[in-house]
Amino acid sequence: MTDRLVTFETEGGIGIVTLRRPEKFNALDIPMLRALETVLDEAEAANDVRVVLLRGEGKGFCAGGDVEAWAQMSAADFQVQWVRYGHRVFDRLARLRQPTIAVLSGHALGGGLELAVACDFRVAETQVKLGFPETSIGVVPGWSGTQRAVRRFGAQTVRRMALGGEILLAPEALALGVVDRVVGTGSGLTEAKAWAGKIAERGPLATEAAKLMIAVAEGEESAAATEALASGFIALTGDLKAGVDAFKAKQKPAFSRS
């Protein structure tokens, strides 16, 4: 379907999430955030999808938060409905079980860059600009631009963008580690699909476990990731089956540590 704000399609083991608000350079408002959250749940549940690409329709990847969507909010609504809800959706992306690649065929500024940062990898076309310009209009990065971005790229790089107002071109962003690959104009999606295809050939459970372990080391989701890894291990044991079978039979389980 192409009439939705965010769509999810599959090509083999690759899932493609597309932001579809090209007339606003895919700027995010509350309906867009809700649609993205729904689509991410859909991607998570797709057992045959091993890698997820995130792209924007038209000339922009994502212009960030739509100023018109939040400018008239009260301080309380801005905090809860905008900042905290946006955080929830971006965290959902960062914690997706599959590896994710942001396809930057257009500029990624403000919340758009924060969205790309929530992905595991970023492929940028050479003409793309990246930055955190929020302080130029009297606000601050609100969807982890001063948190997740600092963990992933270092404080000084984020200072240059958020405090100094620097807008990075893709080659400079590559040198700073903000993007992982730079390709020619019009080649971003092709490159991302090729890279995703190679990732999809790897062991899916091992890849998901490795992503979780990296998340723990990075401080992304230590508690949830630790419990997920431990629970997944236990689910493969004979002890779990013995316990469940005994529960159903209303008997005492005979664990074998197998």
Side-chain angles (χ1 to χ4, degrees), residues 161-203:
M161 291 187 286
L163 305 184
E166 290 190 38
I167 301 297
L168 306 178
L169 288 174
E172 186 176 11
L174 178 65
L176 292 170
V178 177
V179 301
D180 300 283
R181 296 186 182 183
V182 174
V183 297
T185 300
S187 302
L189 184 58
T190 299
E191 174 69 17
K193 285 181 178 180
W195 193 2
K198 292 180 180 179
I199 295 172
E201 293 174 354
R202 309 180 75 82

Coordinates of all heavy atoms in Angstrom, one line a residue, residues 161-203:
M161 N 28.1 19.5 16.1 CA 26.8 19.6 15.4 C 25.7 20.3 16.3 O 25.1 21.3 15.8 CB 26.2 18.2 15.0 CG 27.1 17.5 13.9 SD 26.3 16.0 13.3 CE 26.6 14.9 14.7
A162 N 25.6 20.0 17.5 CA 24.5 20.5 18.4 C 24.9 21.9 19.0 O 24.0 22.7 19.1 CB 24.2 19.5 19.5
L163 N 26.1 22.1 19.3 CA 26.5 23.4 19.9 C 27.1 24.3 18.8 O 26.8 25.5 18.8 CB 27.6 23.2 21.0 CG 27.2 22.2 22.1 CD1 28.3 22.2 23.2 CD2 25.9 22.6 22.8
G164 N 28.0 23.8 18.0 CA 28.6 24.6 16.9 C 27.8 24.8 15.7 O 28.1 25.6 14.8
G165 N 26.7 24.0 15.5 CA 25.9 24.2 14.4 C 26.4 23.7 13.1 O 25.9 24.0 12.0
E166 N 27.5 22.8 13.1 CA 28.1 22.3 11.9 C 27.1 21.3 11.2 O 26.5 20.5 11.8 CB 29.4 21.6 12.2 CG 30.5 22.5 12.7 CD 31.9 21.8 12.7 OE1 32.1 21.0 11.9 OE2 32.6 22.1 13.7
I167 N 27.0 21.5 9.9 CA 26.3 20.6 9.1 C 27.3 19.8 8.3 O 28.1 20.3 7.6 CB 25.3 21.3 8.1 CG1 24.3 22.1 8.9 CG2 24.6 20.3 7.2 CD1 23.4 21.3 9.8
L168 N 27.3 18.5 8.5 CA 28.3 17.6 7.8 C 27.8 17.1 6.5 O 26.7 16.7 6.4 CB 28.6 16.4 8.8 CG 29.0 16.7 10.2 CD1 29.2 15.3 10.9 CD2 30.2 17.5 10.3
L169 N 28.7 17.1 5.5 CA 28.5 16.4 4.3 C 28.8 15.0 4.5 O 29.6 14.6 5.3 CB 29.3 17.0 3.1 CG 28.8 18.4 2.6 CD1 29.7 19.0 1.6 CD2 27.4 18.3 2.1
A170 N 28.3 14.1 3.6 CA 28.5 12.7 3.8 C 29.9 12.2 4.0 O 30.2 11.4 4.9 CB 27.8 11.9 2.7
P171 N 30.9 12.7 3.1 CA 32.3 12.3 3.3 C 32.9 12.6 4.6 O 33.6 11.8 5.2 CB 33.0 13.0 2.1 CG 31.9 13.2 1.1 CD 30.7 13.5 1.9
E172 N 32.5 13.8 5.1 CA 33.0 14.2 6.5 C 32.4 13.3 7.5 O 33.0 12.9 8.5 CB 32.8 15.7 6.7 CG 33.4 16.2 8.0 CD 33.3 17.6 8.3 OE1 32.5 18.3 7.5 OE2 33.9 18.2 9.2
A173 N 31.1 13.1 7.4 CA 30.4 12.2 8.3 C 31.0 10.8 8.4 O 31.1 10.2 9.4 CB 28.9 12.1 8.0
L174 N 31.4 10.3 7.2 CA 32.1 9.0 7.1 C 33.4 9.1 7.9 O 33.7 8.1 8.7 CB 32.4 8.7 5.7 CG 33.1 7.4 5.4 CD1 32.3 6.2 5.9 CD2 33.5 7.2 3.9
A175 N 34.2 10.1 7.8 CA 35.5 10.2 8.5 C 35.3 10.3 10.0 O 36.1 9.8 10.7 CB 36.2 11.5 8.0
L176 N 34.1 10.8 10.4 CA 33.9 10.9 11.9 C 33.1 9.7 12.4 O 32.8 9.6 13.6 CB 33.0 12.2 12.1 CG 33.8 13.5 11.9 CD1 32.8 14.7 12.0 CD2 34.9 13.7 13.0
G177 N 32.8 8.8 11.5 CA 32.1 7.6 12.0 C 30.6 7.7 12.1 O 29.9 6.8 12.6
V178 N 30.0 8.9 11.6 CA 28.6 9.1 11.8 C 27.8 8.3 10.7 O 26.7 7.8 11.0 CB 28.3 10.6 11.6 CG1 26.8 10.9 11.6 CG2 29.0 11.4 12.7
V179 N 28.4 8.0 9.6 CA 27.9 7.1 8.6 C 28.9 6.0 8.3 O 30.1 6.2 8.6 CB 27.4 7.8 7.3 CG1 26.4 8.8 7.6 CG2 28.6 8.4 6.6
D180 N 28.5 4.9 7.8 CA 29.3 3.7 7.6 C 29.8 3.6 6.2 O 30.9 3.1 5.9 CB 28.6 2.5 8.0 CG 28.2 2.5 9.5 OD1 29.1 2.3 10.4 OD2 27.0 2.7 9.8
R181 N 29.0 4.0 5.2 CA 29.4 4.0 3.8 C 28.8 5.2 3.1 O 27.7 5.6 3.4 CB 28.9 2.7 3.2 CG 29.4 1.4 3.8 CD 29.0 0.2 3.0 NE 29.5 -1.1 3.6 CZ 29.3 -2.3 3.1 NH1 28.6 -2.5 2.0 NH2 29.8 -3.3 3.7
V182 N 29.6 5.7 2.1 CA 29.2 6.8 1.3 C 29.2 6.3 -0.2 O 30.2 5.7 -0.6 CB 30.1 8.0 1.4 CG1 29.7 9.1 0.4 CG2 29.9 8.5 2.9
V183 N 28.1 6.5 -0.9 CA 28.0 6.1 -2.3 C 27.5 7.2 -3.1 O 27.1 8.3 -2.6 CB 27.0 4.9 -2.4 CG1 27.6 3.7 -1.7 CG2 25.6 5.2 -1.9
G184 N 27.5 7.1 -4.4 CA 27.1 8.1 -5.4 C 25.6 8.4 -5.3 O 24.8 7.5 -4.8
T185 N 25.2 9.5 -5.8 CA 23.8 9.9 -5.8 C 23.0 8.9 -6.5 O 23.3 8.5 -7.6 CB 23.6 11.3 -6.4 OG1 24.4 12.3 -5.7 CG2 22.2 11.7 -6.5
G186 N 21.9 8.5 -5.9 CA 21.0 7.5 -6.5 C 21.4 6.0 -6.3 O 20.6 5.1 -6.7
S187 N 22.5 5.8 -5.5 CA 23.0 4.4 -5.3 C 22.7 3.9 -3.9 O 23.1 2.8 -3.6 CB 24.5 4.3 -5.6 OG 24.7 4.7 -6.9
G188 N 22.1 4.7 -3.1 CA 22.0 4.4 -1.7 C 21.2 3.1 -1.4 O 21.7 2.2 -0.7
L189 N 20.0 3.0 -2.0 CA 19.2 1.8 -1.8 C 19.8 0.6 -2.3 O 19.8 -0.5 -1.7 CB 17.8 2.1 -2.4 CG 16.8 1.0 -2.1 CD1 16.6 0.7 -0.6 CD2 15.5 1.3 -2.8
T190 N 20.4 0.7 -3.5 CA 21.1 -0.5 -4.1 C 22.2 -1.0 -3.2 O 22.4 -2.2 -3.0 CB 21.7 -0.1 -5.5 OG1 20.6 0.2 -6.3 CG2 22.4 -1.3 -6.1
E191 N 23.1 -0.1 -2.7 CA 24.1 -0.4 -1.8 C 23.6 -1.1 -0.5 O 24.2 -2.1 0.0 CB 25.0 0.8 -1.5 CG 26.1 0.6 -0.5 CD 27.2 -0.3 -1.0 OE1 27.3 -0.5 -2.2 OE2 28.0 -0.8 -0.1
A192 N 22.6 -0.5 0.1 CA 22.0 -1.0 1.3 C 21.5 -2.4 1.1 O 21.6 -3.2 2.0 CB 21.0 0.0 1.8
K193 N 20.8 -2.6 0.0 CA 20.2 -3.9 -0.3 C 21.4 -5.0 -0.4 O 21.2 -6.1 0.1 CB 19.4 -3.9 -1.5 CG 18.0 -3.3 -1.4 CD 17.2 -3.3 -2.7 CE 15.8 -2.7 -2.5 NZ 15.1 -2.8 -3.8
A194 N 22.4 -4.6 -1.1 CA 23.5 -5.5 -1.3 C 24.2 -5.9 0.1 O 24.5 -7.0 0.4 CB 24.6 -4.9 -2.2
W195 N 24.4 -4.9 0.9 CA 24.9 -5.1 2.3 C 24.0 -5.9 3.1 O 24.4 -6.9 3.8 CB 25.2 -3.7 2.9 CG 26.0 -3.7 4.1 CD1 26.6 -4.8 4.7 CD2 26.4 -2.6 5.0 NE1 27.3 -4.5 5.8 CE2 27.2 -3.1 6.0 CE3 26.0 -1.3 4.9 CZ2 27.7 -2.3 7.0 CZ3 26.6 -0.4 5.9 CH2 27.4 -0.9 6.9
A196 N 22.7 -5.6 3.0 CA 21.7 -6.4 3.8 C 21.7 -7.8 3.4 O 21.5 -8.7 4.2 CB 20.3 -5.7 3.6
G197 N 21.8 -8.1 2.1 CA 21.9 -9.4 1.6 C 23.0 -10.2 2.2 O 22.9 -11.4 2.5
K198 N 24.2 -9.6 2.3 CA 25.3 -10.3 2.9 C 25.1 -10.6 4.4 O 25.4 -11.6 5.0 CB 26.6 -9.5 2.8 CG 27.0 -9.4 1.3 CD 28.3 -8.5 1.2 CE 28.7 -8.4 -0.3 NZ 29.9 -7.6 -0.4
I199 N 24.4 -9.6 5.1 CA 24.1 -9.8 6.5 C 23.1 -10.9 6.7 O 23.2 -11.8 7.6 CB 23.6 -8.5 7.1 CG1 24.7 -7.4 7.2 CG2 23.1 -8.8 8.6 CD1 24.2 -6.1 7.6
A200 N 22.1 -11.0 5.8 CA 21.1 -12.0 5.8 C 21.6 -13.4 5.6 O 20.9 -14.4 6.0 CB 20.0 -11.7 4.8
E201 N 22.8 -13.6 5.0 CA 23.3 -14.9 4.8 C 23.9 -15.5 6.1 O 24.2 -16.7 6.2 CB 24.4 -14.8 3.8 CG 23.9 -14.5 2.4 CD 25.0 -14.3 1.4 OE1 26.2 -14.3 1.8 OE2 24.7 -14.2 0.2
R202 N 24.1 -14.6 7.1 CA 24.8 -15.1 8.4 C 23.7 -15.8 9.2 O 22.5 -15.6 9.0 CB 25.4 -13.9 9.1 CG 26.3 -13.1 8.2 CD 27.0 -11.9 8.9 NE 28.0 -12.3 9.7 CZ 29.3 -12.6 9.4 NH1 29.6 -12.5 8.1 NH2 30.2 -13.0 10.2
G203 N 24.2 -16.5 10.2 CA 23.3 -17.2 11.1 C 22.3 -16.2 11.8 O 22.8 -15.3 12.5

